[in-house]
Amino acid sequence: MPSASLAALLALAALVGASPAPAPAPAPAPTPAPAPAPAPAPQALSSAESIFSSATGAVASALPTILGNWPSLSDIEKKVGVNDGNDLQNVSASALLIPSYANFSGDNWNVRFYGLSYKLPNVSTDDLVSVIDGLKTDNLNSTQTSLLQNRTQDLASIPIPHANLTALVFANGSAVTNSSGIQLATADEVGEFDQFVSVPGLGGDASAVRVVQTGIMNVTGPGNGTVILVPSSGISVVSDIDDVMRITKVYVPNQGLFNSFVQPYVNVPGIPELFAHWNETLPGAAFHYDTTTPVELTRTYVDYLFSNFPLGSLEMRPINISDPSQILEARQNSLLKLFQTFPKRKFVLVGDTSSSTLLSAYPQIAQQFPNQIACIFIRNTSATDPDDKIPFSTSDFKNLPNNTYFFYRTADDLFNLNITNGQCRNDSVPQNVTFGEQGGILGDNGAFSLALGRTQYAAAVVGTVVALVLSVL
C-alpha cells in the first residue's frame, strides 16, 4: 500500500475512534442548480482530499455485508468432520423450501420451487459458533444462549449435490398435485434448486395475493414451504431486511453479528405498520423480501418475517458466495427474475444506505425497466444512527428521474405518500443527493470539519488533513 494511503487509513482509524459521536447527517435529496465553481484549492490539499476519499471508499467497499465473512462450505465441512458423502450415509436427507412466488400464464400458475437439499449432522453449538469470524459469545444470559442455539443449528447444513426431489402442492388444506407429486429438475452441485413448474388446479388469476403450501416428499424435514400467487397486475414491494425492517447495524460488523445470532430481533420503528398499511392500500399488493444473509439462516428469517410483516417471498444469499461482486450479481439476478416474471406489475424498491449492493442494483434495474418502477425508497441510516460512519455512493442515481426515488429517515416519512398515483417524494424531508460519495465520518461530499460539528471530531479531522498533506509533500 502506498505511504499516502497508509497514512489515510491510520488517520481514518483514529477518527472513527474519536468521541463524542457526530450529529446525524441529513437525509439525501435532489441536487439544486449547481453553484459557480469555486477557485481551485491548493494542490496539496486537493491531493489529500483525493487520497482520503479513496481511503474511505476502500474502507466502505472492504466492509463486509452482514455475515460477509461467512465460512465457506469447505470450512463448515472440516468443522463438522465431513470429508466426503460417505461420512453422512447414516444422516437422513432434508430439504429447505424458501418462500417463493408464482405467476399466472395461460390457464395455470407457474410455481417457483426454490431451495436447498441437505443433510444436517449433529454438531455442538460451540463448534458452529467457532467458524463465525468476529462473533463473541461470552457472558450470555439464558435468553441469548437459547437464541444462539436456535439460530446456529442449521449452520452445519451439508448440501446434497445433484439431488432428485419430488414436490407437492396444497391449497386450502387439500392436495392439488397427485400422490406421485411433481418431479423437479436435479439440484446443482451445491444442492440448490430453482425452477418454475406449471401447476393446474390452483384457479385463475385474481386481484389479490393468495397463498398455497408446498412440500418435498421423502425427506425427514422440514421440507415444507409457502408460495404466494401474485396477480398479473398490481404493485409489488421489494424490500431489503437488515436495517430496513429490523435493526441489525451491519455497519458495525461485530455488533451486526451479535444482533443476528444472539439478541432478540428488533423491528425498525414504524416499518411493520407501514408495510401493513401498504398491504391494505396498494392495489394487488405483494411483498418480496431480499437479503444477503446466507441460505443456511432461512428458517430464522422466515420465523421473524412472517410474525411481523405480510407474508411474501424471500431471496437468500446462495451457497458459497462471499465476494461483493458475486453478492451484487445475485441481487441483480433476483430483481431481474421478478421484473421479467411480472411484466405488468409496478415495483416499490426499499433499501438503505448501508447496502452498497442495493445502491447499485436498484438504479440499474430501474434504468432497465423504467415503466415498471413505482418508487425507490432508501433509508439513510446515517441520518438516524450516529454509529453509521461508513460512506455510501449515490452516483448510480444520477440518471434516474428525481421524482422516482426518495431518501427517507423514518417510516413516518413514507406513510402518507400516494404511491399508486406516483407520489414518491415527501417534500418536508430535506434531501442532499450529490451523486457521489456521501455520509461517512467526513460528512456529505467530502466536507471536512464543518460537517462533523463537534470539537473532538474537528480536531481529529485536522490531524487527518495534516497527515495526508505531509504524506503527499
Side-chain angles (χ1 to χ4, degrees), residues 70 73 86 101 161 172 178 261 286 310 342 348 358 365 372 380 386 407 425 447 449:
W70 188 250
L73 178 58
N86 293 328
Y101 52 81
N172 301 317
N178 59 38
F261 282 101
F342 302 104
V348 174
L358 288 184
I365 200 72
Q372 287 182 255
N380 185 3
F407 287 75
R425 296 269 309 278
S449 60

Side-chain angles (χ1 to χ4, degrees), residues 182-339:
I182 300 169
Q183 184 64 49
L184 301 181
T186 302
D188 65 16
E189 64 276 4
V190 290
E192 294 177 317
F193 54 91
D194 189 352
Q195 68 174 109
F196 285 89
V197 177
S198 179
V199 178
L202 292 175
D205 201 356
S207 59
V209 165
R210 292 184 287 132
V211 180
V212 298
Q213 292 73 42
T214 54
I216 299 294
M217 297 176 63
N218 303 320
V219 295
T220 57
N224 59 301
T226 57
V227 174
I228 55 172
L229 308 184
V230 180
S232 298
S233 61
I235 295 179
S236 286
V237 176
V238 180
S239 181
D240 189 21
I241 298 171
D242 296 295
D243 293 308
V244 174
M245 300 168 65
R246 80 172 182 93
I247 298 173
T248 309
K249 290 182 178 282
V250 300
Y251 35 84
V252 186
N254 288 347
Q255 188 173 350
L257 285 170
F258 196 76
N259 289 341
S260 294
F261 282 101
V262 177
Q263 293 285 62
Y265 286 174
V266 178
N267 296 328
V268 173
I271 296 298
E273 294 80 5
L274 176 66
F275 279 29
H277 172 66
W278 284 348
N279 194 36
E280 295 173 356
T281 59
L282 296 180
F287 288 80
H288 310 275
Y289 307 111
D290 195 338
T291 179
T292 57
T293 299
V295 67
E296 294 93 337
L297 293 184
T298 297
R299 187 174 60 85
T300 295
Y301 270 58
V302 168
D303 291 346
Y304 162 70
L305 284 173
F306 301 152
S307 297
N308 293 274
F309 300 95
L311 196 67
S313 68
L314 177 62
E315 297 283 343
M316 303 293 292
R317 186 200 302 184
I319 290 283
N320 256 10
I321 283 184
S322 58
D323 183 84
S325 64
Q326 293 175 313
I327 296 173
L328 173 59
E329 183 180 2
R331 290 205 124 152
Q332 290 171 325
N333 289 340
S334 67
L335 286 169
L336 182 62
K337 189 189 295 286
L338 269 174
F339 277 69

Side-chain angles (χ1 to χ4, degrees), residues 34-157:
Q43 183 58 44
L45 183 57
S46 176
S47 299
E49 290 177 343
S50 175
I51 294 168
F52 203 104
S53 178
S54 298
T56 56
V59 171
S61 62
L63 181 73
T65 56
I66 182 64
L67 309 181
N69 287 332
W70 188 250
S72 67
L73 178 58
S74 61
D75 292 333
I76 295 175
E77 288 176 333
K78 289 177 184 177
K79 177 57 65 174
V80 302
V82 173
N83 297 311
D84 56 49
N86 293 328
D87 293 330
L88 297 177
Q89 282 185 337
N90 296 325
V91 179
S92 300
S94 297
L96 169 70
L97 280 171
I98 300 171
S100 64
Y101 52 81
N103 71 323
F104 189 75
S105 178
D107 296 325
N108 296 324
W109 287 90
N110 299 309
V111 176
R112 183 187 181 201
F113 292 90
Y114 163 50
L116 177 71
S117 177
Y118 66 97
K119 291 188 175 184
L120 188 62
N122 186 20
V123 183
S124 73
T125 299
D126 289 342
D127 282 341
L128 294 173
V129 169
S130 68
V131 301
I132 305 173
D133 184 28
L135 177 61
K136 305 300 182 184
T137 58
D138 300 329
N139 303 316
L140 302 184
N141 60 39
S142 59
T143 298
Q144 292 171 329
T145 299
S146 176
L147 288 172
L148 179 65
Q149 292 171 342
N150 184 55
R151 292 173 183 171
T152 56
Q153 63 180 312
D154 291 332
L155 303 190
S157 300

